[in-house]
Amino acid sequence: MSEEIIWDDLIVADSHGSFVMRRNTALRITDLEGDGNLVTLFYNYDNRLERYNMADTLKAQHTAFLSKGNVCYSDMGRIICSIVDSSCGWHDTISGMSNAKTVGSKYGVLNYQDARNDMHRNARDGTLIELSKWGLGKPDLLANVNFFSKVAVDDMGNLTFVSGNSQPGDFVDLRFEMNTLVVVVSSQHVLDPSSLYLPKPFALSARNISAAGPYDFCRKSCPENERGFYNTELIFR
């Protein structure tokens, strides 16, 4: 990835944010303390009716999770971003996010009036706060990526959270193939069995990067991705 840094930022533990990543830029997300979970959603910034589609992403690439070489598809068959590198081999995208009920039942209810900044937050409310800044709302909630989290599935379809999937300093590099609205929330995974309320911080670093070439690893990882890149590049001719 290019060393030309556009900006750096920090998502502190138990917080949320949103920003735009332009085509041919890359975002490095670093799990600073390990065992983090960053709830992330993607929307086409130029047409916000187009957004990340979990089902098509997994089906097209014959996988149940995301890792280096995978891409994130939109609901229009185009590629929003590509995972060009990752030191963490498993990123969950089937489990969804926490809400007020799941957080309250697991960690107890602590609101701002009683606890101020030590209140217990949840990913759904944080996501809705960020979406409202861009003219979006509840109808625009969608299946999210849980970066740095691993969830195993047994033969009966039961989901089990796997602790220790991410170590301090683990990172994922996302190259954006279209102008993208990114929403992030630092929130414990909805299936995390820990009884301790301990969301983690993340470092963000945006850089310029070259466009995907004809022999790009993510493009060539499966035939469906080649078609996805072609469909995406059509709108930038």
Side-chain angles (χ1 to χ4, degrees):
M1 195 163 64
S2 166
E3 295 302 317
E4 183 185 353
I5 298 175
I6 304 172
W7 52 261
D8 289 323
D9 206 348
L10 178 69
I11 300 296
V12 300
D14 201 19
S15 68
H16 43 79
S18 56
F19 47 89
V20 177
M21 294 296 299
R22 300 291 178 180
R23 173 170 164 81
N24 297 335
T25 62
L27 179 69
R28 170 165 288 192
I29 307 171
T30 303
D31 182 356
L32 295 174
E33 297 181 1
D35 284 329
N37 180 71
L38 191 67
V39 171
T40 309
L41 298 88
F42 302 113
Y43 303 79
N44 180 346
Y45 178 71
D46 300 316
N47 174 15
R48 292 169 209 175
L49 293 176
E50 181 177 11
R51 61 277 309 267
Y52 170 70
N53 185 284
M54 177 267 286
D56 288 352
T57 295
L58 300 183
K59 178 178 63 177
Q61 299 173 99
H62 307 285
T63 185
F65 60 94
L66 298 178
S67 60
K68 179 179 178 180
N70 289 142
V71 303
C72 292
Y73 276 87
S74 80
D75 50 11
M76 296 186 185
R78 293 189 278 253
I79 294 173
I80 295 178
C81 63
S82 305
I83 302 177
V84 295
D85 200 2
S86 179
S87 62
C88 183
W90 192 303
H91 303 280
D92 168 55
T93 186
I94 61 176
S95 304
M97 65 178 76
S98 65
N99 56 40
K101 182 177 180 179
T102 60
V103 169
S105 63
K106 186 179 296 185
Y107 307 112
V109 176
L110 276 181
N111 57 34
Y112 181 77
Q113 287 75 16
D114 297 327
R116 296 296 189 264
N117 289 336
D118 292 328
M119 66 180 288
H120 287 175
R121 298 171 174 86
N122 66 85
R124 186 177 188 272
D125 287 349
T127 297
L128 287 172
I129 290 172
E130 293 303 323
L131 289 177
S132 69
K133 299 175 182 179
W134 304 89
L136 302 173
K138 289 182 180 179
D140 304 294
L141 287 170
L142 55 123
N144 60 282
V145 180
N146 288 304
F147 282 114
F148 303 103
S149 288
K150 180 176 181 178
V151 174
V153 184
D154 65 20
D155 292 340
M156 300 300 294
N158 298 308
L159 304 179
T160 303
F161 181 81
V162 180
S163 300
N165 181 59
S166 179
Q167 303 302 309
D170 271 345
F171 67 89
V172 58
D173 288 336
L174 307 176
R175 180 186 61 213
F176 288 84
E177 316 299 349
M178 63 173 64
N179 300 327
T180 305
L181 169 61
V182 183
V183 176
V184 293
V185 184
S186 170
S187 178
Q188 281 166 276
H189 194 280
V190 65
L191 298 180
D192 186 343
S194 174
S195 60
L196 299 177
Y197 182 77
L198 290 173
K200 300 299 180 68
F202 296 88
L204 306 179
S205 182
R207 303 166 186 262
N208 288 316
I209 196 171
S210 300
Y215 301 105
D216 178 75
F217 174 66
C218 296
R219 184 194 297 267
K220 289 292 186 180
S221 61
C222 67
E224 289 83 357
N225 285 2
E226 292 198 77
R227 290 190 286 271
F229 272 97
Y230 174 77
N231 291 337
T232 308
E233 289 158 356
L234 284 176
I235 64 176
F236 292 100
R237 287 183 173 178

